[in-house]
Amino acid sequence: MDILVCVKQVPDTAEIKIDPVTNTLIRAGVPSIVNPFDKNALEAAVQLKEAHGGSVTVISMGPDQAKAALKECLSVGADKAVLISDRLFGGSDTLATSYILATAIKKLGKFDLVLCGKQAIDGDTGQVGPEIAEHLGIAQLTFIAKIEVSGEKITVQREHDEGYEVIEAKLPVVCTVIKSINEPRYANIKSKMAANKAVIEVITAADLPEIDLTKIGLKGSPTKVKKTFTPPRKESGIRIQEGTGRESALKFIEKLVVAKLLNRGC
Amino acid sequence: MGNILTAEQKELVEMVRNFAIKEVKPHVKELDESGEFPMELLKPAFEMGLHCLEIPEEYGGAGLDYQTTAAVFEELAKVDAGYAISLVTTFVALRSVIMAGNEAQKKLFADMIIPGAFASFCLTEPNSGSDASSMRASAVKDGDEYIINATKCFVTNGGVADVFVVFASTDKSKGVKGISAFIVERSRPGIVVGKHENKMGLRLSNTTDVAFVDVRVPADHLLGKEGTGFTTAMNTLNVSRAFVGTLAVGICQAAIDEAVKYAIERIQFKKPIGQFQAVQMILADMEIQTEAARQLVHHAMILMDDNKPVVKEGSITKAFCGDTVVKVTTDAVQIFGGYGVSKEYPVEKLMRDSKVFQIFEGTNQIQRIVIAKEMLK
Ligand SMILES: Cc1cc2nc3c(=O)[nH]c(=O)nc-3n(C[C@H](O)[C@H](O)[C@H](O)COP(=O)(O)OP(=O)(O)OC[C@H]3O[C@@H](n4cnc5c(N)ncnc54)[C@H](O)[C@@H]3O)c2cc1C
Ligand SMILES: Cc1cc2nc3c(=O)[nH]c(=O)nc-3n(C[C@H](O)[C@H](O)[C@H](O)COP(=O)(O)OP(=O)(O)OC[C@H]3O[C@@H](n4cnc5c(N)ncnc54)[C@H](O)[C@@H]3O)c2cc1C
């Protein structure tokens, strides 16, 4: 199966410092890394390739320095890496970004599966993956913790707070993956050296003649950021799951008593 | 070594550093206590190809130059020198094969190692240490086979190796000129692994006796010609000595990193102890000696990458690095005061790990004999 993985180069947030005066992030000098969830997406792709054969292509939209991220992907199992880069793409919001990525994906060929991370650790919107699916006109499976493929059929585990859903779909689809799907491998010294020497293909706006220039860049981006803030954390509840229903009920009563919501006497 | 590496070398080094810190470091304390061989932790090292850095590309290895390999191993040694030596020893055996072996032997050896395996270098015997030429091991030709009988000791990787390079005499009457080297696969009948040494340091490394009792190997497992074994052993050790230096430098750096951190944190007389000049002098000397050791290693690696002989340079490097690591780790313990000797703190282990660097691969006395001989010849 032929798989395409979208990766974003992001600043290493573990290294980011806050400017004490302006209270904003100091991005200068911060090393860039491959978005961690995208590493999981790539690892999932490489494992599927190892099991079913085929190829893994990675793409990234970004400036020239994003080639470093793509080389890292080559060193851990990607067969081909393409940078999508043009001044005209600068200033794109998620809608424009996903439109450009989808247009590039169509140009690169037919893929059975497109994998993205669940979100980028800097932008954090989690919108690009689902939007790519819409632009490509194919199904989307989000927050995926497990992927199995047999023939034309993909079966996934979709995680959410309450547990997971098992979903089946017909290929091709877009999947966005979460961290628990796998543990990304380390590069091999040999593959690392080969990747360092690799020449990365670049796709520019001129290579995508069918692209609608009104839908890209700052002008093609409808998003207006009014305010950014951290929403309050949701309080998590308590789950009581003892050996038997009776034990669970007793434990529940016990908790109510401790919380003084119930008197033991009654 | 930051400034002498290219961008590409730095990337490899950083990759290995990240791996060692994330995957190995969390387990080191426990394994140092148990003395258990960290096979599970070494498997990812195989996946990364750290066991075939030096295997030439034509045999499927990474074909790294000595300088880069050394920089990579300094990083591993910073986290644990015993872990590093398990991988490094495979190369010691490998070098004998690369130096003295023919194409078929190099391929045979590489094919065994590349999937992920260890090798051992079996020279030392209970009664033949510094005086390696006095070994009792024998190899007797029988048709198109040799029958090896030997009792080797202090064999690094002895209990875990898939293949051994064994030195044994094919002609006792010729003394040193009768010693030969053989490739011996673990799978051959008659190999008995003895007890694992309960060592003071390098406790993550496996060190055992290995007895070879009527072990038959095909005649084509002889490396080079009969009688060239001792030269092979010495040529191998010449190259390996600088590598031992690399590991010592790694331990020194770990000791410095810990000592500096502690000197900043520890308050006495209302000041961080690092503010006292007496402590600063110790720290500065640790840094001077370590940097000098590192430069010696680097110089030896440059010579070796250039195929220049390193008989004297290898011995200078090994002796200096071995003495330095003992001094620097002892100083680190001093800076930690009473906590330095506590197993709760990281530096006593470094001091325990350091001592063997004055002993193996030829004691530092023997290194000085080699250096003086070169000077006087
Ligand atoms: C008005 C506006 C202007 C902006 N201007 C700029 C700008 O000038 N320069 C700039 O760098 N950013 C700019 N951005 C940010 C940019 O839109 C987002 O970084 C980008 O769209 C990805 O969104 P995200 O980070 O939330 O990714 P998410 O949607 O959280 O990412 C999900 C997944 O999508 C994939 N993905 C995301 N981005 C890429 C990519 N670039 N290449 C390949 N795969 C990807 C990855 O698989 C990722 O895991 C701007 C945003 C806005 C709203
Ligand atoms: C952890 C560890 C791992 C090892 N791994 C291996 C391995 O993988 N393969 C292998 O073959 N060997 C290995 N060795 C063996 C090591 O190389 C020997 O221990 C070393 O060469 C010294 O030999 P010895 O222990 O017999 O000491 P001896 O030779 O008995 O030396 C005892 C003391 O006498 C001194 N001395 C001896 N001769 C002279 C002289 N002529 N002039 C001045 N002083 C002298 C020595 O310097 C030393 O201080 C290992 C040893 C250790 C401790």
Side-chain angles (χ1 to χ4, degrees), chain A residues 186-190 192-193, chain B residues 11 15 23 47-48 60 64:
Chain A
Y186 283 94
N188 176 286
I189 298 272
K190 256 176 90 176
K192 179 92 185 167
M193 291 198 303
Chain B
E11 256 191 61
M15 180 175 116
E23 307 290 336
E47 270 161 40
M48 283 179 84
L64 272 198

Side-chain angles (χ1 to χ4, degrees), chain B residues 262-290:
Chain B
Y262 193 76
I264 293 169
E265 283 165 7
R266 175 70 174 171
I267 312 281
Q268 286 295 284
F269 301 98
K270 298 197 175 72
K271 279 184 191 171
I273 57 167
Q275 307 253 319
F276 299 117
Q277 278 197 352
V279 172
Q280 290 174 3
M281 297 303 106
I282 301 176
L283 284 174
D285 280 336
M286 290 165 73
E287 183 81 357
I288 292 168
Q289 287 149 3
T290 299

Side-chain angles (χ1 to χ4, degrees), chain B residues 349-362:
Chain B
K349 170 189 181 279
L350 299 175
M351 187 171 164
R352 283 189 284 110
D353 283 345
S354 74
K355 184 59 196 176
V356 75
F357 286 84
Q358 289 178 315
I359 296 170
F360 62 3
E361 302 264 330

